[in-house]
Amino acid sequence: MKEDIAELIRNDIIHLRFRPGDPLSENKLAEEFQVSRTPIREALRRLSLEGLVTITPNLGARVADINLRDFQELIEFRIILERGLARLLARNATPADIAEMKQLNERIQREKTDDLDKLTDFDSEFHHLCRQAGHNQLLADHMAMTQTKFTWVMRMISYKPELFMVELPNFIVAMEKRDEAALADILVEHVEYFIDNMQKET
């Protein structure tokens, strides 16, 4: 249950229902989720470890602020992780993993949406499938945390993650060929394209 609550609050933060600096009342959240304060407190602690929530003794929890200096380190860390993931994808991706990626591509092609929420959801699903196809839980856990923060910033600047949708067919081909270099190029270009757009907005 506490994992579910953490995920729900995380989604509320990412989708800007709770904005940076907003207080997160344990009592109000407990009432909303119809649970005691204990699982709320545990969920907030988990989110504080991810850098999404700031907990101050005697003051309680708030949605964390975006620190652009820290974000620069996060960018560097994510690019390192993406290159590592490319290596794992080339080695470990199964036919079932590739089939799931193809299904995602088919849904994207059918919907051809311009809706920011849907585009963000597609982007999140793409990264989830990549982490899953790497078959390394430790790397997947670290990537999930960094990608959550990227998604959070993405929503704040109303960035539309269109590049990966254009490149997804080529990405699938690279998975099938187990082409580590091509996979790394696409993953890193996806991050750098986002960074370029973020710099234009800030």
Side-chain angles (χ1 to χ4, degrees):
M1 172 63 78
K2 66 183 179 183
E3 294 293 330
D4 293 339
I5 292 173
E7 180 64 24
L8 291 169
I9 298 173
R10 184 186 297 109
N11 285 337
D12 283 340
I13 291 172
I14 290 172
H15 287 86
L16 304 181
R17 178 182 168 216
F18 298 131
R19 302 187 70 87
D22 282 353
L24 296 168
S25 165
E26 290 182 9
N27 288 331
K28 288 182 180 178
L29 290 169
E31 182 178 343
E32 177 180 344
F33 294 116
Q34 299 182 340
V35 295
S36 71
R37 289 174 57 188
T38 299
I40 297 296
R41 191 175 299 118
E42 291 177 359
L44 292 175
R45 284 177 184 156
R46 177 178 174 82
L47 295 173
S48 74
L49 294 174
E50 298 177 14
L52 296 178
V53 169
T54 300
I55 299 175
T56 305
N58 301 319
L59 293 177
R62 289 183 174 274
V63 179
D65 290 317
I66 294 292
N67 184 319
L68 292 182
R69 283 175 294 183
D70 291 345
F71 195 69
Q72 179 59 42
E73 292 186 1
L74 188 70
I75 290 167
E76 294 167 356
F77 183 54
R78 178 166 176 185
I79 288 175
I80 291 169
L81 292 178
E82 296 288 3
R83 292 191 184 281
L85 177 60
R87 174 172 290 188
L88 291 176
L89 288 172
R91 293 179 179 178
N92 299 338
T94 66
D97 295 324
I98 295 169
E100 285 191 276
M101 199 69 75
K102 288 180 177 179
Q103 289 170 6
L104 172 62
N105 185 53
E106 289 169 3
R107 293 207 314 279
I108 291 170
Q109 297 306 317
R110 279 199 308 270
E111 296 198 24
K112 294 190 179 300
T113 182
D114 198 42
D115 179 73
L116 181 57
D117 286 339
K118 192 64 179 175
L119 290 171
T120 303
D121 288 342
F122 279 145
D123 183 75
S124 295
E125 185 174 354
F126 166 70
H127 289 296
H128 171 75
L129 292 177
C130 286
R131 295 193 303 269
Q132 178 177 282
H135 296 281
N136 183 303
Q137 193 58 51
L138 184 61
L139 181 66
D141 290 343
H142 283 288
M143 294 205 77
M145 285 193 288
T146 62
Q147 287 163 353
T148 293
K149 290 182 182 177
F150 269 75
T151 303
W152 187 26
V153 175
M154 178 192 303
R155 293 308 307 262
M156 280 193 273
I157 66 172
S158 299
Y159 166 74
K160 292 184 176 180
E162 298 156 320
L163 178 67
F164 95 90
M165 297 179 191
V166 174
E167 288 291 340
L168 186 51
N170 292 333
F171 189 82
I172 292 168
V173 170
M175 286 180 73
E176 291 176 320
K177 291 182 176 179
R178 303 197 176 278
D179 186 338
E180 178 184 334
L183 290 167
D185 286 346
I186 294 170
L187 288 170
V188 171
E189 185 181 3
H190 179 40
V191 176
E192 291 176 341
Y193 183 70
F194 165 73
I195 294 165
D196 289 344
N197 279 266
M198 183 187 75
Q199 289 171 341
K200 292 174 185 175
E201 297 288 336
T202 56

